[in-house]
Amino acid sequence: MTELLWYITAALAIGSGLGVVMLRMPLYSALSLVLHLFTMAAMFAFLDAHFLATTQIIVYAGAIMVLVIFVIMLLSLEGTEKRPSIFLIGIAGAAAFGLLYMMAPAIRRTFPMTGGSLQGDVGTIGKSLYTDYIFSFEIASLLIMVAIVGAVVLAKRIKKNAT
Amino acid sequence: MIWFILIVKVLIVFQIALGLASVCVWVERKGSALIQDRIGANRAGAFFYTDNIFLKPVFIVVRLLGVLGVINTLLCDAVKALFKEDFVPKGTSNFIHSLAPFMGVFPVFLAFSLIPFAPDFVIAGITIRPQVASLNAGVLFIFAMASMAVYGATIAGWCGNNKFSLLGGLRSAAQMISYELALGISLVAMVVLYGTLDLYDMVVAQTKLVGGFLPAWGVFTQPVAFIIFFVAGMAETKRAPFDLPESESELVAGYFTEYSGMKFLLFWLGEFAEIALLAALMVLMFFGGWDIPYVTLPATWVGALIGHLVFMGKITFFCVLQIVIRWTLPRFRYDQLMHLGWKILLPLSMANLIVTAVLKLAF
């Protein structure tokens, strides 16, 4: 049963991933990216990493993608992108397929499909974040802080010029 | 057996969510009439009459329901919406137009799967927890679902293909993102206090007494977090005084201007399910869930039933309270809304979190 659900989720993930690059309306691409992130969260859930699954939804599907859709709607982007020639698409597709084909055995060996082999509960993740990876964690939060301050400064400067 | 129990649980919880939402619809219609000194819906079904002696008791019940307006608000309106023309505006996609109401409703009902509706009980040697899924991410999952509910309104606004709808959709997205922060941080304070993410364990932690007489309910230990959670939660449900996304005086009907029939009703259903969800969360985290102060419920099905009734009673109280607030207070201005969200609730919730963490470390 779980395996069947896993295959359905995997098919959805691949389909929505293709949708992101192949759909022509920007909003549809964004929506299929939301679906893709959702299926990724479902995959985490299959690995019993509930916390990772939830944070995946909160951070990516719930916050970042809302902002992306917000921007698409505000700028009211239309599907104006021209498709590249069939020849280029063929070459890129073949290259990607070849690469994946070579990687497939390694992926199958290293990544478990289902089951609780990844320790993904809140306690474990919290402990390793605040003990083993405390330095990278703090550096990341510092980077985000700098980015926020930078964004505020940029937004303010634009306002001054306009008035 | 496990699958059977799970399916029964899913059915029951879905029924509870739907039932609460429809009770809310009725209270909204009749309650608003009471508040505005009207009579409200009282005609449909009120004059049913039969000479058949066996059908008489049934018809008496129907007449009673008709006078109370239940038939009008729950049955007639649903039938009317089902048979209405389903209009899709020109220049937009039919698929996305139909998808939007579902994206608004589906996460709310999914979030109900994390709500425990009664204490554990033992039946035929099996301990049953009346909760569909017990994830160790617990309350975070509900928060994730709340953040997914933004899409419904936003996409609906885009599908309207006119400026009023779009403005409504953008407003709803901005409002929900802004208030999600305060909501989440007040939630984190509760998580720090109880030391768990699981809603069931939170209720268990509240069954104790503080100082020997006061029940350890969240509202007594964390009053600030309760106020923030209530206000931010009301803003998340997008109802007055926070109904800027659909403000009738400026935006026709906001994001669902171009929706009719059953799709419109789905938005309504989602809204009332959100009210019920918010009430359930408040009861679980701040009002002790099924806990009756100074009373310990037995771990049998009788105890579970009593607990369930107490829990539902508390939820109903908070649903009615939200509806009364919605019909009492006028709408905010948009700058007031953003001011309240970013400059009052967010710093307050952060201060509350820091104070809670420090106190938790100290004691």
Side-chain angles (χ1 to χ4, degrees):
Chain A
M1 191 70 190
T2 321
E3 203 151 298
L4 182 71
L5 283 175
W6 190 89
Y7 277 113
I8 293 172
T9 321
L12 261 177
I14 293 171
S16 54
L18 284 175
V20 177
V21 281
M22 285 169 75
L23 287 171
R24 305 187 70 181
M25 287 282 278
L27 189 79
Y28 296 173
S29 295
L31 280 180
S32 54
L33 185 53
V34 172
L35 182 62
H36 183 73
L37 293 167
F38 214 82
T39 50
M40 295 301 283
M43 301 234 166
F44 282 133
F46 279 124
L47 294 166
D48 284 338
H50 299 160
F51 179 68
L52 275 183
T54 348
T55 14
Q56 171 92 5
I57 295 176
I58 292 178
V59 175
Y60 289 104
I64 293 177
M65 284 317 292
V66 170
L67 287 181
V68 168
I69 285 181
F70 204 93
V71 170
I72 290 175
M73 279 167 57
L74 266 182
L75 301 179
S76 59
L77 296 173
E78 297 294 329
T80 47
E81 289 276 316
K82 282 258 166 61
R83 276 190 193 177
S85 66
I86 302 283
F87 181 65
L88 279 178
I89 292 178
I91 290 179
F97 185 78
L99 210 65
L100 259 183
Y101 189 77
M102 284 189 287
M103 277 156 62
I107 292 173
R108 279 186 75 92
R109 251 201 322 277
T110 43
F111 288 98
M113 228 165 72
T114 51
S117 48
L118 269 182
Q119 293 294 312
D121 72 318
V122 187
T124 332
I125 289 181
K127 266 182 199 127
S128 60
L129 262 188
Y130 281 101
T131 51
D132 300 343
Y133 303 106
I134 180 76
F135 184 69
S136 16
F137 182 73
E138 290 298 328
I139 288 291
S141 56
L142 198 70
L143 270 178
I144 292 170
M145 189 74 194
V146 170
I148 290 172
V149 172
V152 169
V153 168
L154 281 177
K156 275 222 159 148
R157 194 171 292 161
I158 288 165
K159 220 175 192 178
K160 249 182 216 164
N161 286 347
T163 47
Chain B
M1 193 62 193
I2 293 172
W3 284 99
F4 175 72
I5 291 173
L6 192 66
I7 288 166
V8 169
K9 276 184 194 170
V10 169
L11 287 178
I12 289 175
V13 167
F14 193 64
Q15 281 308 311
I16 288 173
L18 265 185
L20 275 172
S22 28
V23 167
C24 282
V25 171
W26 178 68
V27 172
E28 166 109 345
R29 296 286 299 277
K30 266 315 230 195
S32 67
L34 269 178
I35 290 169
Q36 296 174 341
D37 206 9
R38 294 184 282 118
I39 299 170
N42 72 337
R43 294 300 154 90
F47 304 111
F48 271 31
Y49 185 76
T50 178
D51 282 328
N52 189 332
I53 193 85
F54 299 108
L55 282 177
K56 267 207 166 147
V58 181
F59 273 62
I60 288 173
V61 173
V62 169
R63 280 212 294 277
L64 188 66
L65 290 178
V67 171
L68 288 175
V70 176
I71 292 183
N72 197 331
T73 50
L74 296 186
L75 194 67
C76 300
D77 282 2
V79 171
K80 186 189 89 172
L82 272 176
F83 284 100
K84 259 184 143 178
E85 185 195 353
D86 179 34
F87 177 75
V88 178
K90 220 175 160 185
T92 180
S93 146
N94 201 342
F95 174 68
I96 302 280
H97 189 267
S98 311
L99 187 71
F102 288 99
M103 286 178 94
V105 171
F106 155 79
V108 184
F109 278 96
L110 206 57
F112 268 99
S113 61
L114 262 284
I115 305 272
F117 278 92
D120 279 354
F121 61 96
V122 183
I123 197 160
I126 310 169
T127 307
I128 294 175
R129 174 164 290 193
Q131 179 186 23
V132 174
S134 73
L135 306 177
N136 67 33
V139 75
L140 282 179
F141 181 78
I142 291 177
F143 191 56
M145 287 302 114
S147 65
M148 288 304 289
V150 183
Y151 286 112
T154 316
I155 300 296
W158 184 80
C159 279
N161 205 14
N162 66 56
K163 293 201 167 78
F164 291 129
S165 296
L166 186 68
L167 273 175
L170 289 177
R171 274 188 184 187
S172 79
Q175 175 179 332
M176 288 175 89
I177 291 176
S178 310
Y179 279 79
E180 236 166 47
L181 285 171
L183 190 82
I185 293 172
S186 69
L187 246 163
V188 171
M190 300 311 287
V191 171
V192 168
L193 178 72
Y194 296 133
T196 173
L197 280 167
D198 194 271
L199 281 167
Y200 192 92
D201 296 341
M202 284 190 182
V203 174
V204 171
Q206 289 175 65
T207 51
K208 289 176 234 138
L209 293 179
V210 174
F213 64 99
L214 197 64
W217 288 4
V219 68
F220 297 123
T221 46
Q222 281 279 341
V224 182
F226 171 66
I227 292 166
I228 295 165
F229 188 82
F230 193 11
V231 175
M234 289 272 307
E236 289 284 302
T237 59
K238 301 191 287 293
R239 285 162 60 81
F242 297 103
D243 64 343
L244 275 300
E246 48 177 282
S247 51
E248 298 88 354
S249 48
E250 309 151 31
L251 299 180
V252 190
Y255 58 92
F256 49 60
T257 305
E258 297 291 349
Y259 279 85
S260 55
M262 207 55 206
K263 289 181 191 168
F264 171 72
L265 215 63
L266 264 180
F267 276 117
W268 236 47
L269 183 71
E271 196 174 299
F272 286 105
E274 264 178 33
I275 293 175
L277 181 68
L278 179 63
L281 281 179
M282 281 196 291
V283 169
L284 283 172
M285 287 194 298
F286 297 100
F287 287 88
W290 46 82
D291 174 46
I292 316 167
Y294 319 116
V295 177
T296 313
L297 293 170
T300 56
W301 64 270
V302 182
L305 194 64
I306 294 170
H308 177 67
L309 289 177
V310 169
F311 181 57
M312 294 307 276
K314 287 178 184 175
I315 288 184
T316 314
F317 173 77
F318 279 101
C319 288
V320 173
L321 182 66
Q322 286 180 65
I323 288 167
V324 170
I325 290 174
R326 185 242 191 274
W327 287 100
T328 309
L329 294 178
R331 184 181 300 139
F332 279 114
R333 234 173 34 225
Y334 202 71
D335 61 320
Q336 290 172 331
L337 176 92
M338 286 294 151
H339 184 267
L340 179 69
W342 288 100
K343 291 188 181 165
I344 300 176
L345 289 184
L346 184 63
L348 200 63
S349 60
M350 280 179 172
N352 183 54
L353 171 63
I354 292 169
V355 170
T356 310
V358 168
L359 286 181
K360 173 95 180 175
L361 272 182
F363 294 108

